[in-house]
């Protein structure tokens, strides 16, 4: 299992974003500060990941830029660090 932690400013404040890549080609993404997590399939298309994240984040967040945060998280799932 691979693990990545980044600090993002998508909530207009720093938030820890934890991304775990599992051996069965899934990403588990969580932002504990807003009590949020979701699961993504590694093989999903980029826009599919972004849309899933936007819908999930909109459900949990009342402030911040969900679209920007969703794009940033999706970019992290294709980064060379993972």
């Amino acid at each position: 299992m691979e693990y990545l932690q980044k600090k993002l400013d998508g909530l207009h404040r720093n938030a820890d974003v934890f991304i775990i890549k599992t051996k069965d080609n899934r990403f588990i993404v969580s932002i504990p500060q807003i009590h949020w997590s979701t699961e993504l399939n590694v093989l999903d298309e980029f826009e599919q990941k972004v849309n899933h994240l936007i819908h999930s984040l909109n459900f949990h967040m009342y402030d911040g830029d969900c679209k920007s945060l969703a794009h940033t998280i999706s970019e992290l799932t294709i980064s060379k660090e993972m």
Side-chain angles (χ1 to χ4, degrees), residues 11-74:
L11 303 172
H12 301 291
R13 58 186 178 265
N14 283 334
D16 289 322
V17 176
F18 299 90
I19 301 175
I20 298 171
K21 184 178 180 184
T22 65
K23 291 182 180 183
D24 62 346
N25 286 327
R26 293 177 302 129
F27 286 110
I28 309 299
V29 183
S30 70
I31 304 175
Q33 188 173 351
I34 61 169
H35 307 286
W36 173 85
S37 66
T38 193
E39 181 180 309
L40 300 170
N41 188 322
V42 173
L43 302 176
D44 286 348
E45 296 291 326
F46 183 82
E47 286 302 317
Q48 195 174 4
K49 290 178 188 177
V50 170
N51 287 333
H52 172 77
L53 291 166
I54 289 171
H55 291 296
S56 181
L57 287 164
N58 278 333
F59 184 76
H60 289 278
M61 288 177 48
Y62 299 101
D63 63 346
D65 184 352
C66 291
K67 287 184 181 180
S68 175
L69 185 56
H71 274 275
T72 303
I73 291 169
S74 294

